[in-house]
Amino acid sequence: MRIAILASGNGSNFEAIVQAVERGDIQGEVALLFSDKKEANVLKRAAKYQVPAYSFAPKQFDSKEKYEAALCELLVTQRIDLVVLAGYMRIIGNQLLQAFPQQIINIHPSLLPSFPGLHGVKDAFEYGVKVTGITIHFIDDGIDTGPIIAQETIAIDPEETLPTLEEKIHQLEHQWYPKVIATIVEKRSNQI
């Protein structure tokens, strides 16, 4: 399976996925990385692993629809089977949803449906929950509302700080996102 990773930032989940492919844990290939930010550190990580990288910003287009059409064309042209969001900070629109039905997945740093949106870790921490975690889900037309594929929990220790919790969440993401991707790829490969 040909996997595209969409990312906007540092790229630690991107790197965890690429390393899992290199180890043979994921029976597919990371065919491309796309970033909507030309300065994103994830582009340096893509170069390090020799993953073809593409980048263009929404502001380069007359509308969000034209931006998404260009992204959709890139993914279709590259024969992508699975789109993996790894810190991609944009809402996926109808063009991509229709072109890749049940083929776009995301990881969110809370136990959805609790604490959706941009600040899942901070929101859970400030609310005072005793358990939080990560959610891997399919993308739909809502914000963090798609069907849940997997969740993993961690306890929040009484002496926890926001930075230590964020680090624990990142470790959980790096461990579980590649595992879930491997399972999806294996299941879909067996259906072909």
Side-chain angles (χ1 to χ4, degrees):
M1 288 189 79
R2 291 175 58 79
I3 301 167
I5 300 177
L6 279 55
S8 299
N10 186 34
S12 61
N13 274 313
F14 165 82
E15 188 160 9
I17 294 163
V18 171
Q19 289 174 347
V21 168
E22 288 184 347
R23 286 191 308 270
D25 296 344
I26 297 173
Q27 299 301 310
E29 70 171 300
V30 177
L32 70 89
L33 165 79
F34 173 79
S35 181
D36 60 326
K37 298 186 185 294
K38 291 186 184 292
E39 310 80 31
N41 190 61
V42 69
L43 294 165
K44 293 176 185 169
R45 292 185 195 244
K48 173 183 168 184
Y49 288 98
Q50 300 178 340
V51 172
Y54 302 83
S55 180
F56 48 81
K59 64 184 175 187
Q60 294 174 248
F61 297 85
D62 294 337
S63 67
K64 179 184 176 186
E65 290 76 20
K66 289 182 180 178
Y67 164 78
E68 190 160 283
L71 177 53
C72 193
E73 182 180 345
L74 171 66
L75 298 174
V76 169
T77 302
Q78 294 295 318
R79 302 179 331 275
I80 297 304
D81 301 302
L82 182 66
V83 179
V84 175
L85 307 185
Y88 183 68
M89 304 310 287
R90 299 212 168 272
I91 296 171
I92 300 297
N94 285 333
Q95 289 182 73
L96 281 171
L97 289 172
Q98 290 172 6
F100 296 92
Q102 294 293 299
Q103 294 169 281
I104 307 174
I105 64 172
N106 184 45
I107 190 162
H108 183 76
S110 76
L111 297 173
L112 294 173
S114 297
F115 311 110
L118 287 176
H119 306 289
V121 179
K122 182 176 183 255
D123 293 344
F125 180 78
E126 289 179 351
Y127 192 81
V129 297
K130 302 298 180 207
V131 175
T132 190
I134 60 167
T135 302
I136 300 164
H137 63 98
F138 287 108
I139 292 292
D140 65 7
D141 59 359
I143 297 175
D144 297 327
T145 57
I148 293 172
I149 302 166
Q151 291 183 306
E152 189 63 30
T153 62
I154 56 169
I156 299 178
D157 299 326
E159 68 279 357
E160 200 83 66
T161 65
L162 183 56
T164 61
L165 180 58
E166 288 173 336
E167 181 56 34
K168 286 166 93 173
I169 290 288
H170 286 312
Q171 290 173 5
L172 210 56
E173 290 176 339
H174 300 162
Q175 178 185 1
W176 284 96
Y177 210 9
K179 287 180 183 181
V180 171
I181 293 167
T183 301
I184 292 170
V185 168
E186 184 179 338
K187 283 181 182 175
R188 293 195 175 177
S189 295
N190 290 337
Q191 294 171 353
I192 297 173

